[in-house]
Amino acid sequence: MTSAHNTPTVQPGELLDDSALLSLEDLARTCHMAPDWVSERLEAGLLQADSPDGHWRFVSATVVRARRLAQLETTFDADPHLAALTADLIEEVAHLRQRLQHLEAATGPGPQPR
């Protein structure tokens, strides 16, 4: 499916690759939120997007972050900034775990706790 701007329309739950770009409406639909919700997070600097032609375009990493923000806000009735801080921490822990796995793969596991 395509939208009026020849951008593929992504259905909720559809797996995205790194080259897939979503419109604001597609991102909102994927997160089960209103387009205004996405716009508010963009204006607050909680989500990142490109707008080369005047239309917002979102990459798959932003989809993951937006879904996480929506889940945190909905599940815990979290303030958007608190949800973003929590998402930042979750992303940082995942990044550190990945680095540790790469390090352990290259050098072997470190000492085991007793």
Side-chain angles (χ1 to χ4, degrees):
M1 274 191 267
T2 59
S3 65
H5 300 289
N6 294 328
T7 302
T9 301
V10 178
Q11 298 301 316
E14 188 174 336
L15 208 59
L16 302 175
D17 63 30
D18 288 334
S19 64
L21 296 176
L22 280 76
S23 70
L24 185 139
E25 292 79 12
D26 288 336
L27 180 61
R29 187 173 27 261
T30 300
C31 295
H32 304 285
M33 302 301 270
D36 287 344
W37 180 90
V38 175
S39 296
E40 289 169 6
R41 272 91 195 135
L42 278 169
E43 290 171 13
L46 306 178
L47 292 174
Q48 303 297 316
D50 290 324
S51 180
D53 60 358
H55 299 284
W56 293 111
R57 297 288 177 252
F58 301 89
V59 296
S60 59
T62 303
V63 173
V64 172
R65 181 174 175 81
R67 284 180 176 169
R68 185 170 286 136
L69 291 177
Q71 179 186 19
L72 289 166
E73 289 179 31
T74 303
T75 303
F76 299 105
D77 194 26
D79 172 81
H81 291 279
L82 180 59
L85 176 62
T86 304
D88 290 343
L89 293 173
I90 291 169
E91 292 163 7
E92 183 65 19
V93 167
H95 175 72
L96 291 171
R97 284 182 177 157
Q98 184 179 28
R99 285 184 57 194
L100 180 60
Q101 286 176 345
H102 287 301
L103 181 62
E104 287 178 344
T107 63
Q112 298 298 314
R114 293 180 184 228

